[in-house]
Amino acid sequence: GEDVEQSLFLSVREGDSSVINCTYTDSSSTYLYWYKQEPGAGLQLLTYIFSNMDMKQDQRLTVLLNKKDKHLSLRIADTQTGDSAIYFCAGWPIQTGANNLFFGTGTRLTVIP
Amino acid sequence: DVKVTQSSRYLVKRTGEKVFLECVQDMDHENMFWYRQDPGLGLRLIYFSYDVKMKEKGDIPEGYSVSREKKERFSLILESASTNQTSMYLCASSKGGNEQFFGPGTRLTVL
């Protein structure tokens, strides 16, 4: 399977930008996802990017993909206290025929008012 | 909207008990998944199913079994619960290999 790594914790001040990083080992992941998990809840899909893209922007969210370095990042502009959550990156290696995603360990983002 | 529901939000069981965790999805998805989530370990796949009566082992199937008798329902069974199975259990479903939709989770405590 694929290994997906993330740092465990990130703290930022309200109004600053947050950057959450993810590295993966298997370059065959065709779809890469960012999920958000709020306290006591399941995971919700935030955004995704195809492996043939370098960047995707969706309102305050910007996803950057560096395929050469196998590095994915999620930037949240103007971070708000409601953004405090655990963020998971995940990859789907479609070429393997797998139907399951490979998840990172999750990064707990704390926004300081 | 896709809805994935899990039978309990919180569950407390004793060591050795048989535990059933139920998951139901309402969008006719072929694939269903059971994960456990532990601090610092992220989500680990226990079992998944890509069709009725079909099941595949994930990364950590030991101590668990599953049942999928109907397309919309995927059950996780702990035959004899142990304290190291105390965890948050998340169910998900998907159509094909695309976006997975998650339930709210069941926090299981085994005493």
Side-chain angles (χ1 to χ4, degrees):
Chain A
E2 172 155 27
D3 284 334
V4 183
E5 293 189 359
Q6 301 177 238
S7 52
L8 291 180
F9 302 100
L10 176 66
S11 292
V12 297
R13 292 206 174 274
E14 190 174 15
D16 288 349
S17 292
S18 309
V19 179
I20 303 170
N21 294 302
C22 173
T23 57
Y24 55 97
T25 57
D26 188 344
S27 58
S28 65
S29 280
T30 303
Y31 290 74
L32 293 147
Y33 303 86
W34 282 104
Y35 281 84
K36 177 184 180 182
Q37 184 184 33
E38 295 185 356
L43 277 68
Q44 287 183 296
L45 180 68
L46 273 182
T47 187
Y48 63 92
I49 189 168
F50 299 124
S51 59
N52 63 357
M53 298 167 66
D54 298 324
M55 186 181 89
K56 181 179 179 182
Q57 187 151 6
D58 184 1
Q59 298 183 331
R60 292 191 297 122
L61 305 178
T62 304
V63 180
L64 294 176
L65 176 61
N66 182 328
K67 285 182 69 179
K68 176 173 168 289
D69 294 338
K70 299 179 187 174
H71 183 263
L72 181 73
S73 67
L74 174 69
R75 179 177 180 269
I76 306 172
D78 187 26
T79 313
Q80 304 297 307
T81 54
D83 295 324
S84 291
I86 302 175
Y87 291 81
F88 292 91
C89 65
W92 176 32
I94 186 173
Q95 288 93 330
T96 66
N99 282 330
N100 53 300
L101 304 183
F102 293 92
F103 284 86
T105 52
T107 299
R108 183 180 294 275
L109 173 65
T110 301
V111 182
I112 304 163
Chain B
D1 278 352
V2 177
K3 196 166 182 186
V4 180
T5 56
Q6 295 182 227
S7 49
S8 306
R9 292 299 304 271
Y10 300 94
L11 210 50
V12 179
K13 296 290 182 181
R14 294 204 175 277
T15 301
E17 280 193 83
K18 190 169 186 175
V19 182
F20 292 88
L21 302 182
E22 303 282 339
C23 175
V24 177
Q25 50 94 5
D26 65 359
M27 281 301 290
D28 202 36
H29 283 173
E30 295 90 357
N31 303 317
M32 296 188 75
F33 307 84
W34 275 107
Y35 296 90
R36 63 177 282 176
Q37 181 183 8
D38 301 287
L41 297 177
L43 270 67
R44 293 181 291 169
L45 182 65
I46 305 170
Y47 267 98
F48 66 99
S49 167
Y50 52 89
D51 202 351
V52 176
K53 297 193 187 295
M54 306 300 286
K55 61 184 179 184
E56 292 281 344
K57 292 181 181 178
D59 299 320
I60 51 163
E62 296 79 18
Y64 302 94
S65 62
V66 290
S67 171
R68 191 152 179 217
E69 296 296 317
K70 293 186 178 181
K71 192 174 185 180
E72 67 270 18
R73 188 180 298 269
F74 191 35
S75 303
L76 180 70
I77 303 153
L78 288 67
E79 292 288 341
S80 177
S82 63
T83 54
N84 63 12
Q85 291 178 309
T86 291
S87 187
M88 170 73 95
Y89 290 88
L90 293 167
C91 173
S93 73
S94 74
K95 192 166 189 68
N98 215 324
E99 176 188 355
Q100 291 187 12
F101 294 85
F102 283 81
T106 296
R107 186 166 292 282
L108 172 67
T109 302
V110 183
L111 301 175

